[in-house]
Each structure stands twice: as structure tokens, then as C-alpha cells.
């Protein structure tokens, strides 16, 4: 069963059990997946990796919206965005811990022989396939920057 099929099955189950949060969130996620499938010159079937990227992007939107609502003092909307984010997280791979990320970046720096801030692109190119979907790009870049500055 593909990830998209799992989302569709879970949406159906959420609708039957009248779980409004899951229904709303899964509908939004499936809409984003379908929009991605038809984006570009011709439609295509997304792989599970592509679906994970779409879900990660949607989860990031929820985190940012929750922070914005929280800063504006709109706690009810912030809570709703956080709840949707938690539903999406269930379909994403487990996030890397700080220690795991530090080790991956250190290995990439050793493998590429990179030194200094100018080698950041080289290190990022080596690290990104290893962390795909398991760590946010900004978090990876910050760790690479930190280790190259040492």
C-alpha cells in the first residue's frame, strides 16, 4: 500500500468515525498531494518519497502558522494548527535527534574533506540525501555552518 493510499484509507476511516480534526487534516494533505501530481506540464503519479516531501512541507506550514497565531495572541487558531501538524507528523519518518544529525554532518565533512564556510554547498550536497525527510533543511544548514566554523 502506497502512502497516498494509506492517507485515503485513513481519511475514509476518519470520516466514518466523525473525527473532524483528522478528516480536515487528511483532506488538506491529499489536496496538496493531488495538486503536486498535476503541477507542471503533465500530470504524474507521486512516489512515496515525493508524498513525504509534500507532507513535510505541509507540516512546516502548520508549525509556522501556529507560531504566527501564537505571537498574535490567537491561541485557539495556534492550537488548531499544532493539532493538524501532529496528525501530519504521524505520516512522516521519525526526525533525527541532534546527536544523529551532528554525526551525519561530521561524517559528510570527513568524507568530502571540506574545510571552512566556503565548502558549505559541498557538505550540504553530501548530507541532504542521508537526511531526506528526517530533518528540516534550515536545521541541517545550521549544523553544517556550525561544524565548518570550528
Amino acid at each position: 500500500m502506497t502512502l497516498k493510499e494509506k492517507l485515503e484509507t485513513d481519511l475514509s476511516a476518519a470520516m466514518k468515525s466523525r473525527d473532524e480534526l483528522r478528516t480536515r487534516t487528511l483532506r488538506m494533505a491529499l489536496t496538496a498531494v493531488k495538486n503536486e501530481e498535476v503541477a507542471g506540464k503533465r500530470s504524474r503519479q507521486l512516489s512515496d518519497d515525493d508524498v513525504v516531501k509534500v507532507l513535510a512541507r505541509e507540516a512546516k506550514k502548520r508549525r509556522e502558522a501556529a507560531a504566527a497565531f501564537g505571537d498574535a495572541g490567537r491561541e485557539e487558531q495556534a492550537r488548531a494548527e499544532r493539532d493538524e501538524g501532529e496528525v501530519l507528523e504521524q505520516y512522516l519518518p521519525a526526525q533525527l535527534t541532534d546527536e544523529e544529525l551532528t554525526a551525519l554532518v561530521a561524517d559528510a565533512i570527513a568524507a568530502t574533506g571540506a574545510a571552512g564556510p566556503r565548502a558549505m554547498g559541498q557538505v550540504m550536497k553530501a548530507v541532504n540525501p542521508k537526511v531526506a525527510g528526517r530533518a528540516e533543511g534550515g536545521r541541517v544548514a545550521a549544523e553544517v555552518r556550525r561544524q565548518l566554523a570550528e
Side-chain angles (χ1 to χ4, degrees):
M1 176 182 285
T2 67
L3 184 53
K4 182 180 173 188
E5 290 169 345
K6 180 167 177 35
L7 288 168
E8 290 168 342
T9 303
D10 290 354
L11 172 60
S12 178
M15 289 169 71
K16 287 177 183 173
S17 68
R18 300 196 189 285
D19 183 344
E20 289 183 35
L21 172 65
R22 281 188 89 68
T23 300
R24 179 179 69 230
T25 305
L26 293 175
R27 275 186 176 150
M28 172 274 310
L30 282 167
T31 299
V33 168
K34 289 175 183 172
N35 285 341
E36 187 72 20
E37 286 179 335
V38 297
K41 295 189 183 223
R42 63 179 119 121
S43 63
R44 59 189 166 48
Q45 191 72 19
L46 294 182
S47 68
D48 277 355
D49 290 340
D50 293 332
V51 173
V52 166
K53 288 177 187 171
V54 171
L55 293 178
R57 189 170 55 230
E58 292 299 319
K60 182 179 179 186
K61 286 180 189 177
R62 297 299 163 279
R63 281 192 301 277
E64 291 170 352
F69 281 132
D71 293 345
R74 299 172 69 182
E75 279 307 311
E76 191 172 316
Q77 288 95 338
R79 190 175 335 101
E81 293 291 336
R82 281 192 293 273
D83 291 345
E84 287 181 7
E86 289 173 11
V87 171
L88 291 173
E89 295 290 334
Q90 297 170 2
Y91 296 95
L92 295 172
Q95 295 293 298
L96 291 172
T97 64
D98 290 337
E99 294 79 26
E100 292 170 327
L101 182 59
T102 300
L104 281 173
V105 170
D107 291 346
I109 290 173
T112 59
R118 289 185 163 193
M120 184 162 172
Q122 182 182 9
V123 176
M124 288 295 289
K125 191 183 289 186
V127 171
N128 277 337
K130 295 176 184 170
V131 298
R134 298 186 302 152
E136 232 176 74
R139 192 172 147 224
V140 175
E143 181 60 27
V144 169
R145 206 174 293 115
R146 186 188 70 75
Q147 287 193 31
L148 286 175
E150 293 176 352

